[in-house]
Amino acid sequence: MTIATLLEDHWAWLVFAALLGIAEVMIPGVFLIWIAIAAAITGLAALALPIGLPLQLLIFAALSIAAVWAGRRWYADHPVASTDPLLNDRTARLIGQTVTVVEPIVGGEGRVKVGDSVWTALGPDADAGARVRVIAAEGTALRVEGS
């Protein structure tokens, strides 16, 4: 005997929603909660209406897509305040720092040392050992100017 045979469809959906909600709390990612909402609404629809499992799955899929889209949109319109907004943007954190040229910048391109790593640098010609300031990040390259 399986859980599916022990529970009516609407209870299975509501239990699934609760498990997704618990998983969201344990592994926060602000994603599973939207799927949990879709599962809960599907469970309530299954409770209120006599619908079969194929239609329930279709409703769940549509609600999941809609809920994730609405959640992403809501977070885009209402960003979460952070004490370190550049935490996950390493290149943006480098803007303003003074770095050392390790491979001469010739013809607009060279290499600079940032901490314990070496990055491609774009900017005016500079000899190895020169100090330059990072003014922008372009992909994985740093735009620099003489300091």
Side-chain angles (χ1 to χ4, degrees):
M1 190 173 271
T2 65
I3 287 187
T5 58
L6 292 175
L7 294 176
E8 294 180 36
D9 288 348
H10 62 274
W11 286 114
W13 285 110
L14 295 173
V15 167
F16 182 52
L19 291 174
L20 286 171
I22 291 168
E24 175 68 28
V25 170
M26 294 176 67
I27 311 167
V30 190
F31 181 78
L32 291 177
I33 194 65
W34 307 113
I35 306 298
I37 290 168
I41 294 171
T42 303
L44 294 174
L47 176 63
L49 305 169
I51 53 178
L53 185 59
L55 185 54
Q56 291 174 28
L57 292 172
L58 186 62
I59 291 169
F60 173 67
L63 288 173
S64 293
I65 291 168
V68 169
W69 178 81
R72 288 177 53 92
R73 177 129 187 187
W74 190 83
Y75 275 108
D77 293 343
H78 303 89
V80 176
S82 172
T83 58
D84 191 358
L86 301 178
L87 177 65
N88 293 319
D89 191 354
R90 183 170 183 207
T91 55
R93 294 177 78 120
L94 298 175
I95 295 172
Q97 287 191 17
T98 300
V99 295
T100 304
V101 176
V102 292
E103 290 180 23
I105 301 175
V106 178
E109 187 172 331
R111 310 273 289 164
V112 293
K113 184 170 180 85
V114 178
D116 61 352
S117 62
V118 177
W119 292 62
T120 300
L122 307 172
D125 291 355
D127 295 327
R131 305 281 288 162
V132 293
R133 188 170 58 85
V134 178
I135 58 171
E138 299 174 8
T140 59
L142 301 176
R143 175 130 335 252
V144 298
E145 67 180 6
S147 63

